[in-house]
Amino acid sequence: MPSLLRARLLLLTTVACAETTPAPLEIPVHAIRLRPGESALVPYATRSLSAAEASFGAATIRRVDGAFFTGGGPAATVTNVPEGAIVTAVSAGDIMLRLESPAGRDSVLVQVRTAFPPLTLRPDARAVGGGTKCAIAVDASLWCWGYGVYDMALTGRDGFRQQIVAPTRVRGPAAQWKGVAVGFTHVCALATDGTVWCWGGNDEGMAGSNPMRRVPPTRVDVPPIVSLAAGPYHTGALTTDGRVWCWGSNRSAQSTGAAGRAVATPTLVALPVAARTVHAGSSHSCALGTDDGVYCWGGNVFLMRGRVDALLGPSRVPLTGPVRQLALGPTHACALLRDASVQCWGDNLHGQAGGELDGGGVLPRTVSVPPAQALNLASRSSCALDLDGATWCWGTNVAGLLLSALPETVAGTGTPIRLTLPFTPRDFAGEGLGSSRCMTAADGALWCWGENSNGQVGVGRTFSSPSAPVSPVLPALVRGG
C-alpha cells in the first residue's frame, strides 16, 4: 500500500475532526453481508463530495484517494467506494473488509457498518420481474438487478453470464420514470413525460421494433398509457381510456387475439369492455374489466384461459363473482373476488392453482385460504395475504418459495401453508415470472426470498436460495413499478 495512503488512513484515527460547514451529501446503503473469504463487487458509485471534508450527523466524512471513510472508533467505515472496487470479508458482524482499488494496486483494511436501515417503500411499491427485477425510486429514477442478459440494466455490458447482484441505476433515455415491466430478456418503462421506452432482447419484437437480437432504448409509439405488463416475449399496455395494446410474440395469439407472426408495433386488442388492469403470461394475456370480469386471450395450454374451448380472442373467465384483483403467473392465474375468496385456474402440476395436483390444468376452483386482501403469483407458486395480515402460499417449494420444511424435491402442495416471516407484511411487491418473491413490510421495508443464482434478491452477491427473507441492498427508496 502506498505510504501516502497509509499516512492518510493513520490520520483518520489520530487527528480530531475539524469543524466544517455541512455540505449536501448522499450516503449510499452498502449493507453487504459476507462470510469471511467471500467477495462482492460494489456495483455503483455515488456522487463525490465537493469538499475534502464535510459533516454528516455526528461523524465527519473525509475523502481518501477516491474512497470515503468516517473518522472515529477503532476503524474507519466505508461509505463510498470507487465503482468496480472489490471488498472481501475478513470477519463477520460489523465486518472488517479488505478494500481494493479497481486496478487491484491498493488494499486497505477497513470496518463496514452493516446495520443500515432497510429499504423503505411507499404503499404502491413494486419490484417487478423474475430473473431480472426493476423498481422505481422516490426520485423517479429506475433501478434493476438480477439476470443481466442483453444489458437489461443498460450498464454497457452484455452477455449471457452477466449478473447484476445489487440494484443498479438505469442510465436510460429518461431521467424520471413512473412505470416498468420486465420480461425474460427485455424491459419496457413509462417515463414521467408519458413516453414509453423498451430495450434489451427483441427477437420477437417485444421491445417494440423490428425483430433483432438486441435493441438499445427505443421509443414505442402507443397512445397515452397508465401501466405496462410483460410476458417472457410480449408486452402489454393499458391506456388512459381503458384500452389494451400489445406487441411482441404472437405465436399463440397472446398479442392480438389471433395467431400469427410477431407484431413489432402496438396492436389494439378487441376487448368487449374497458380494462382496469392488464397482465401477461407466458403465451396468453388477461385483463380485469371495468365490469369486474376477467378476460383472457391467446394460448390455452393447461387451461390458462380458464375455459375448455379453442377460442383465441378475448373471452370471459367463468368465475363465481365479481373480481377485485387479478394476478398471473406464466401458466396459471388467480383472482381475488370482492367477497375476499380466491379462485385459481391453469397449470396445477405443482399445486399452484390449489387443491389436488393436476398436470393437465384445472378450471377455476376456490382455494382453501382465509379471506384475502392481496395476491401474488410466481412461476409455480401462489400466495395470498389474508385480512388478518398473515401470508399463505401454495405450490412448489423450489428455491424455498414456501419458506417451509416441504422438501424442494417434492412436486408441491395445493394446500396453503402459513409463512413465518421476520416482519409484519403489508403487501406483495409485484408479479414475477421467476422463482423469487418480494413483499413490503408494515414499516415500508422491502424483503425478498427465493431463487438468487443471478442476484434476484438484490443483496450484493449470489448464493443459494436464502432460508429466510432478506432485504435488498438498495441505495434509494423505491416508489413502484
Side-chain angles (χ1 to χ4, degrees), residues 79-299:
T79 54
N80 189 19
V81 295
E83 185 173 8
I86 299 176
V87 290
T88 303
V90 177
S91 62
D94 278 348
I95 53 181
M96 294 293 295
L97 296 180
R98 181 170 287 106
L99 170 64
E100 299 179 9
S101 68
R105 292 189 298 268
D106 300 330
S107 177
V108 266
L109 192 65
V110 295
Q111 186 181 35
V112 174
R113 181 168 59 92
T114 61
F116 287 99
L119 171 68
T120 302
L121 302 176
R122 286 168 53 113
D124 60 349
R126 294 291 182 268
V128 302
T132 303
K133 293 188 182 297
C134 294
I136 297 174
V138 292
D139 63 356
S141 58
L142 178 61
W143 300 77
C144 295
W145 65 99
Y147 192 34
V149 65
Y150 293 153
D151 197 19
M152 295 168 70
L154 298 180
T155 61
R157 301 184 298 272
D158 181 23
F160 282 101
R161 295 185 180 275
Q162 179 69 24
Q163 295 173 334
I164 310 166
V165 296
T168 300
R169 183 167 182 170
V170 174
R171 304 293 179 179
Q176 295 186 311
W177 306 88
K178 59 181 179 180
V180 61
V182 184
F184 274 175
T185 62
H186 77 291
V187 176
C188 289
L190 172 62
T192 54
D193 64 4
T195 57
V196 176
W197 299 82
C198 297
W199 59 88
N202 190 49
D203 46 340
E204 294 279 347
M206 58 274 198
S209 61
N210 291 329
M212 60 184 70
R213 174 182 173 270
R214 170 178 172 253
V215 295
T218 302
R219 183 171 175 175
V220 180
D221 186 13
V222 64
I225 72 168
V226 293
S227 64
L228 291 162
Y233 302 107
H234 75 292
T235 307
L238 175 65
T239 60
T240 55
D241 60 2
R243 294 185 296 171
V244 171
W245 299 73
C246 295
W247 59 94
S249 177
N250 196 44
R251 298 181 184 185
S252 300
Q254 64 264 50
S255 289
T256 67
R261 302 178 62 180
V263 289
T265 56
T267 302
L268 181 64
V269 178
L271 286 170
V273 299
R276 292 209 320 261
T277 61
V278 62
H279 308 262
S282 60
S283 60
H284 72 304
S285 304
C286 295
L288 175 58
T290 53
D291 62 351
D292 290 344
V294 173
Y295 298 85
C296 296
W297 60 97

Side-chain angles (χ1 to χ4, degrees), residues 28-31 33 113-120 443 445 471-474 477:
V29 179
H30 283 314
R33 303 180 186 278
R113 181 168 59 92
T114 61
F116 287 99
L119 171 68
T120 302
D443 61 0
S471 289
V473 183
L474 284 183
L477 306 181

Side-chain angles (χ1 to χ4, degrees), residues 245 350 358 479:
W245 299 73
H350 302 278
D358 189 327
R479 181 178 64 190

